[in-house]
Structures are given as C-alpha cells and as structure tokens.
C-alpha cells in the first residue's frame, strides 16, 4: 500500500485527533502501557491498510474504535509474554498516598481492575467501553455491531460477576 | 415474558438507554419482581463501584512513563552486547546530555511510518525501537543531537518527515524519514561503524567492506547502499526505486565520492 500525500496529511491529523482515546481504550482493556502502545500502533496501521473499508457515513473515531476493539480482542502480540491480569503488571501509583483512606481507595482500585481484567474478553471490552470510556449504547452498537439487548444482557453478566467478587463489601455497606 | 425482557434490559435501564415505553415497562416490572430488584441492586452497586475508581484508573503520569524507556530484555541473547554497544554509541554521539523525553504520539506515528516502509517493501517489519528524541525538522534534529547533518539531495518531492535518535538490539544511531509526494518513504539510518554492526541484505558486502565479521542479517528488506568505516556512518535506503536510490546515493555528500 502506498501513502498518497494528501492522505498522509489527513492521516496525521486523524492520528493526532484520536491517538489519545485509542491509547486510553487499549490501556483500559489491556491494563499494560506497553501492550496499549502496541495496540494503538496496530490500530492505526490497520486503519491505514483498510482505508477503503471506511464508510464516510460513520464517524472516523467510531471506525477507529471498531478497529481498536478488534485489535485488543485479537490479543495482539500474545507471544510477547505479557500477562495483564497479574497484580504486578498494574501500574504503580506515582502519587504518594499517606492517608489510610487513600491507601484503601488505591487498593480498591487495583482490586476492581483485577476483577475487570478477570472478565471474559467480550464482557471486559463492553465494561471498558461503557464504564471507562463512557460511551452510549448507540456508540457501542456502532462499534461492536451488537444490539442494545445484547449489550445490556452482557453488561448484566459482567456487572453481576464483579458484584459477586465484592459481595461481602456490598453487604457491609448495606 | 415480561420477566425475561426486563431482566435482559436491566443494565440498559440503569444506563438510561431505553425509550420511554421500554423504560416504563422495566420500571413497572421492578416494582413487582423481587428477584429482578435484587439483580438490579447488584448491577447498580457494581457500576457505582467501578465509577468510584475509574477516574484513577489511568493516571496521566503513568500512561507513557515506561513506554520508551530502554528495555533490552525482549532481545534475549544480544542484550548484554547491545547494552554495551549502545553505551558506546551514546558516547560517540554525545547523546547523554541531550536525551530527552519524547512525544509518545510522535513515536507511535514514526513507528507507523517505519513499519509502512518495511511492509510496502515486502520484507519483515522493522523492529520497534525506543526513541530518545523526535525531531520535526532537520534543524531540530541538529539541536537535539548537537551535530550537523548533510541533507541528502533527493528528488524534489521528498520532504523531511521525522528525525529521531533510536536504539535497537545492535546499537543505535540517528534516523531520518523522508516522504515523497507519491507516498514513498525514505529512511536514512546512521550509526557508528565502531559498533561493528551492520544491517541489511548486503551483509556480506558489509563484512567485505569492514573486513570483519558482522553479527547477522537483521532487516533483509532494507537495502544496504553503503557504509563508510572512516566516517563512522552507514547509510541505508528503503522502499525507493533503484533510480532514486542511486540518485540519492550519488548526491549524498559524504558518500558520493565512493560511487
């Protein structure tokens, strides 16, 4: 495939406009900055190669999200010995927490991430799109091609699975 | 029937993704069905839990923190040699004082360009390299590295795209990417010959030129044009026609005399 000049400039603009969101989505799903960077790169590379598949009726960001979702679900570079579920692979905080409350919150954050990472890949992606990326059901529908009913029922399963992990704490709060 | 419908749409109800008719139907069912109310409560708690921590999930200071730090572990047996050679290269080019945090977005973009060059050249992908700096212009590259670079005389439609300091398992150096109006990509990589490294399909040529062994062919798709032991430089060109390649080679000031 050859880059045409106009396309190259357009692509650079598209890249700049979307790279942060694609990186964030990849990071939220993969839980690892290195893997997220690979996924981001792979997403834009696939976009370059499949430019003809882009339908101008949809948003380019939606199209890129669709590619990114597939890249993440494909588990790019699985042979790189990256395992995102490990507690150790989760990012260490750069901010120093002193208050006990903050420490607890940080611990909770890590446990929630682990619980999300433990979800089956399709459910995890929906949680990332809905909970972390704050996308509407219509946007998720455009990206994944799933119906509203399927999105909802899968989110039910994902949320209930997470709820089971934290059920003791939920009871304590009641 | 209503039970199964409502149960399926509990998350959509919670997320306010239903139309008025369906929302009312689910709400009325919840008033009557205790098992659905229990499920709904659990789903709601789970969502609130995630929401309570999600803003902390991707601290910006962490996001790119480790993305481009030198990491040789993935390179296996050459790790120690590479580390040593990189240290040599660093000294030779006096990079230590100029190494800077790079723009990660630019780095990803550069990776894309390089991969595109390798892919369209029908060879294997370039190895992803950590960059210590990215330059948007030749002037910026010179400022970062503290060296002057002779601009290759290329067909007029080639323009400077990115300059960068890179490292990979066999050493490191300075790279420059030019892109033509037709979208052809020209990559120039320069690195100290003192590192005893060589790239490309012309491995044998490099060995003959240097009069000593090289390690192994690394990037078969990249065409080796020449290297110059006296001037600490290897020049590589990729993905351009033979005519352009020869033209670039002839007109490259430091190497032209060898044609």
């Amino acid at each position: 495939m050859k880059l045409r000049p106009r396309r190259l400039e357009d692509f650079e603009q598209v890249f700049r406009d979307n790279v942060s969101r694609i990186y964030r989505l990849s990071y939220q799903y993969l839980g690892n900055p290195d893997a997220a960077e690979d996924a981001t790169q792979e997403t834009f590379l696939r976009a370059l190669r499949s430019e003809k598949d882009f339908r101008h009726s949809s948003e380019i960001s939606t199209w890129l999200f669709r590619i990114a979702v597939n890249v993440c679900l494909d588990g790019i570079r699985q042979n790189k010995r990256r395992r995102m579920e490990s507690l150790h692979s989760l990012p260490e905080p750069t901010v120093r927490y002193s208050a006990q409350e903050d420490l607890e919150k940080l611990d909770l954050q890590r446990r929630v991430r682990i619980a999300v990472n433990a979800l089956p890949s399709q459910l995890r992606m929906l949680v990332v799109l809905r909970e972390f990326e704050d996308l509407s059901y219509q946007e998720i529908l455009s990206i994944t091609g799933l119906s509203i009913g399927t999105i909802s029922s899968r989110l039910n399963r994902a949320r209930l699975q997470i709820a089971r992990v934290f059920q003791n704490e939920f009871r304590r709060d009641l | 029937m209503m039970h199964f419908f409502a149960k399926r749409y509990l998350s959509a109800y919670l997320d306010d993704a239903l139309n008025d008719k369906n929302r009312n139907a689910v709400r009325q069912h919840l008033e009557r069905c205790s098992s659905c109310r229990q499920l709904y409560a659990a789903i709601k708690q789970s969502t609130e839990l995630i929401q309570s921590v999600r803003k902390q999930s991707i601290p910006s200071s962490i996001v790119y923190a480790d993305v481009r730090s030198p990491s040789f572990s993935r390179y296996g047996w050459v790790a120690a040699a590479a580390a040593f050679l990189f240290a040599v290269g660093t000294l030779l080019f006096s990079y230590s004082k100029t190494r800077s945090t790079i723009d990660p977005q630019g780095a990803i973009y550069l990776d894309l360009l390089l991969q595109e060059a390798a892919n369209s050249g029908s060879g294997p992908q370039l190895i992803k390299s950590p960059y210590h700096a990215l330059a948007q212009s030749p002037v910026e590259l010179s400022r970062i590295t503290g060296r002057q670079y002779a601009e290759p005389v290329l067909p007029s439609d080639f323009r400077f795209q990115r300059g960068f300091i890179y490292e990979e398992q066999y050493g490191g150096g300075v790279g420059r990417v030019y892109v033509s109006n037709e979208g052809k990509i020209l990559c120039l990589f320069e690195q100290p010959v003192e590192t005893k490294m060589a790239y490309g399909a012309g491995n044998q040529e490099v060995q003959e030129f240097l009069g000593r062994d090289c390690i192994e062919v690394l990037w078969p798709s990249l065409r080796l044009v020449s290297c110059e032991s006296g001037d600490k430089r290897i020049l590589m060109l990729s993905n351009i026609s033979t005519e352009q390649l020869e033209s670039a080679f002839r007109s490259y000031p430091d190497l032209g005399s060898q044609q």
Side-chain angles (χ1 to χ4, degrees):
Chain A
M1 186 189 72
K2 291 174 180 171
L3 292 167
R4 294 185 298 278
R6 182 64 204 158
R7 213 188 110 209
L8 193 70
E9 289 167 21
D10 290 347
F11 174 74
E12 184 151 8
Q13 190 58 48
V14 168
F15 178 85
R16 284 185 180 149
D17 291 346
N18 293 279
V19 66
S20 294
R21 288 190 77 200
I22 297 298
Y23 181 89
R24 197 175 63 206
L25 167 75
S26 305
Y27 180 88
Q28 298 285 15
Y29 180 79
L30 298 166
N32 174 305
D34 222 16
E37 193 209 33
D38 282 348
T40 305
Q41 188 170 312
E42 179 66 17
T43 296
F44 283 99
L45 204 56
R46 285 193 194 180
L48 265 171
R49 288 178 186 149
S50 59
E51 181 198 32
K52 62 182 185 308
D53 297 333
F54 173 62
R55 291 174 197 157
H56 291 272
S57 56
S58 69
E59 288 284 328
I60 200 160
S61 57
T62 302
W63 177 63
L64 286 169
F65 256 64
R66 193 178 306 139
I67 297 173
V69 164
N70 287 328
V71 167
C72 289
L73 291 176
D74 287 350
I76 62 157
R77 302 196 181 190
Q78 289 173 331
N79 59 351
K80 289 203 129 187
R81 302 183 300 280
R82 287 171 180 153
R83 292 292 175 266
M84 277 63 75
E85 285 74 21
S86 162
L87 187 71
H88 301 293
S89 72
L90 291 171
E92 292 295 332
T94 52
V95 179
R96 294 197 180 280
Y97 289 80
S98 53
Q100 184 64 25
E101 185 182 335
D102 287 342
L103 281 172
E104 284 175 3
K105 196 158 192 174
L106 196 63
D107 182 54
L108 182 66
Q109 178 200 350
R110 291 164 73 88
R111 286 159 56 219
V112 169
R113 284 301 299 265
I114 290 168
V116 171
N117 286 348
L119 292 170
S121 57
Q122 299 279 352
L123 301 188
R124 180 167 23 138
M125 181 53 80
L126 284 179
V127 169
V128 167
L129 293 173
R130 175 62 200 158
E131 306 282 23
F132 292 99
E133 290 302 313
D134 218 11
L135 298 186
S136 70
Y137 279 49
Q138 279 300 332
E139 288 170 311
I140 297 173
L141 181 154
S142 300
I143 290 166
T144 62
L146 299 172
S147 69
I148 299 290
T150 304
I151 294 168
S152 180
S153 66
R154 288 188 182 178
L155 279 173
N156 286 349
R157 282 164 55 201
R159 288 163 167 173
L160 288 171
Q161 185 168 325
I162 291 170
R164 278 193 289 276
V165 173
F166 293 92
Q167 60 185 337
N168 290 337
E169 284 159 67
F170 286 167
R171 282 194 193 119
R172 197 175 58 195
D173 292 342
L174 290 174
Chain B
M1 185 67 187
M2 189 58 221
H3 176 75
F4 292 108
F5 170 83
K7 191 175 166 186
R8 180 175 171 82
Y9 284 93
L10 285 176
S11 277
Y13 176 74
L14 174 67
D15 295 326
D16 201 18
L18 297 176
N19 60 30
D20 289 349
K21 181 184 165 194
N22 289 336
R23 186 167 54 245
N24 285 335
V26 174
R27 182 174 50 76
Q28 286 169 10
H29 178 76
L30 280 173
E31 288 169 2
R32 295 191 303 269
C33 179
S34 61
S35 73
C36 279
R37 271 202 306 278
Q38 269 190 321
L39 284 178
Y40 180 72
I43 286 169
K44 191 161 181 264
Q45 279 184 314
S46 180
T47 302
E48 287 167 354
L49 176 70
I50 296 171
Q51 294 293 322
S52 72
V53 299
R54 73 166 195 160
K55 285 182 181 171
Q56 304 165 310
S57 296
I58 183 164
S60 58
S61 57
I62 288 175
V63 170
Y64 293 114
D66 300 323
V67 168
R68 291 299 181 182
S69 60
S71 170
F72 295 109
S73 59
R74 69 183 75 164
Y75 299 139
W77 63 271
V78 293
F84 169 74
L85 290 168
F86 175 70
V88 172
T90 302
L91 285 173
L92 285 169
F93 279 106
S94 302
Y95 290 156
S96 56
K97 63 180 178 183
T98 56
R99 281 172 70 161
S100 57
T101 304
I102 57 104
D103 163 23
Q105 298 186 359
I108 295 174
Y109 182 69
L110 178 60
D111 269 346
L112 288 168
L113 276 178
L114 294 176
Q115 285 194 29
E116 187 67 14
N119 290 336
S120 57
S122 74
Q125 290 190 351
L126 290 175
I127 287 174
K128 197 176 83 175
S129 304
Y131 313 111
H132 292 304
L134 280 180
Q136 310 293 328
S137 69
V139 172
E140 192 178 1
L141 184 66
S142 292
R143 183 176 56 75
I144 292 169
T145 63
R147 297 179 64 219
Q148 294 298 316
Y149 298 93
E151 279 296 300
V153 181
L154 300 171
S156 59
D157 62 338
F158 273 88
R159 64 188 184 280
F160 186 94
Q161 188 74 22
R162 288 286 191 282
F164 57 98
I165 301 170
Y166 71 101
E167 59 183 273
E168 41 73 52
Q169 68 257 58
Y170 293 152
V174 173
R176 286 177 284 167
V177 179
Y178 295 81
V179 179
S180 79
N181 284 344
E182 292 179 354
K184 288 179 176 170
I185 299 170
L186 166 66
C187 306
L188 296 176
F189 294 88
E190 297 173 45
Q191 105 180 108
V193 172
E194 277 82 348
T195 60
K196 301 179 186 175
M197 296 298 105
Y199 304 115
N203 202 35
Q204 189 178 345
E205 297 167 43
V206 175
Q207 292 192 26
E208 289 170 2
F209 190 88
L210 297 177
R212 57 197 177 205
D213 289 342
C214 304
I215 289 187
E216 69 174 355
V217 173
L218 180 61
W219 293 338
S221 71
L222 291 184
R223 213 168 147 184
L224 179 74
V225 178
S226 183
C227 57
E228 189 174 352
S229 61
D231 198 28
K232 308 173 187 174
R233 180 170 290 122
I234 289 176
L235 171 66
M236 287 187 354
L237 298 163
S238 170
N239 191 31
I240 64 174
S241 69
T242 301
E243 186 183 356
Q244 288 173 315
L245 188 139
E246 287 172 350
S247 167
F249 180 69
R250 271 198 303 277
S251 54
Y252 196 80
D254 291 327
L255 297 173
S257 61
Q258 296 195 12
Q259 272 287 63

